[in-house]
Amino acid sequence: MGEATEAGSEDGEGERETVNSLDDALNPPDLSDDQIETRAGETLSEFRAWADQDSLPVPIEVLAEHFLGYELIISDEGVFADPDCLGGIVFEDQTMTINASIENDLGRYSFTIAHEIGHHVLQDRKSTRLNSSHQIISYAVFC
């Protein structure tokens, strides 16, 4: 159907399976709590090795922007005009958008970035955009 794109791992370990259809993209495999914790731990370990630091708290903006390569955007436009929509990630554009209403609440702001990183780590593909030929062209998650 569209180009093959990485999705979630079949068993939480090793190679990631390939998304070949809209159905695959919209119905990622269920992951156990252990699989989720394993992926989160792997990401944190990789970041700590990359950053050559092991201290807390984790500099979440550095992890998102410099380690994962996302651009952080603060917005109160579009879906972010709704203060209940705190963050979103667009995989194709490598952007994470954070609602401007929480920019000055460091705890909520940091948690929301970490939450969006979770979508990246788990390759959560809940919103799929198709072109006129019904090929998958981008993925985004807004929560």
Side-chain angles (χ1 to χ4, degrees), residues 52-67:
D52 194 27
Q53 69 92 28
D54 198 25
S55 62
L56 294 174
V58 173
I60 203 71
E61 289 176 316
V62 173
L63 195 158
E65 291 181 299
H66 301 288
F67 180 66

Side-chain angles (χ1 to χ4, degrees), residues 1-142:
M1 187 161 197
E3 290 184 8
T5 306
E6 281 190 339
S9 171
E10 202 169 293
D11 60 5
E13 315 241 346
E15 298 284 321
R16 293 185 182 269
E17 68 184 38
T18 300
V19 172
N20 291 309
S21 70
L22 177 60
D23 188 56
D24 289 345
L26 296 177
N27 298 296
D30 289 330
L31 299 174
S32 70
D33 289 347
D34 287 342
Q35 290 171 312
I36 292 169
E37 286 188 33
T38 296
R39 288 197 190 169
E42 289 169 351
T43 301
L44 183 57
S45 294
E46 291 167 8
F47 171 73
R48 287 181 166 163
W50 173 86
D52 194 27
Q53 69 92 28
D54 198 25
S55 62
L56 294 174
V58 173
I60 203 71
E61 289 176 316
V62 173
L63 195 158
E65 291 181 299
H66 301 288
F67 180 66
L68 296 177
Y70 282 87
E71 176 186 1
L72 288 177
I73 300 167
I74 308 298
S75 179
D76 61 1
E77 298 177 7
V79 297
F80 298 103
D82 178 353
D84 291 331
C85 184
L86 300 181
I89 183 171
V90 179
F91 298 96
E92 178 183 70
D93 297 340
Q94 286 286 111
T95 59
M96 289 183 188
T97 304
I98 307 302
N99 193 307
S101 69
I102 63 170
E103 183 178 16
N104 295 320
D105 181 341
L106 183 60
R108 174 54 67 187
Y109 175 80
S110 298
F111 179 87
T112 302
I113 293 172
H115 177 92
E116 299 310 323
I117 288 170
H119 290 295
H120 169 87
V121 169
L122 300 175
Q123 296 293 299
D124 187 1
R125 311 292 194 183
K126 289 185 180 169
S127 177
T128 304
R129 191 173 65 183
L130 305 176
N131 67 14
S132 60
S133 300
H134 302 290
Q135 294 174 314
I136 299 168
I137 57 173
S138 69
Y139 298 103
V141 178
F142 298 98

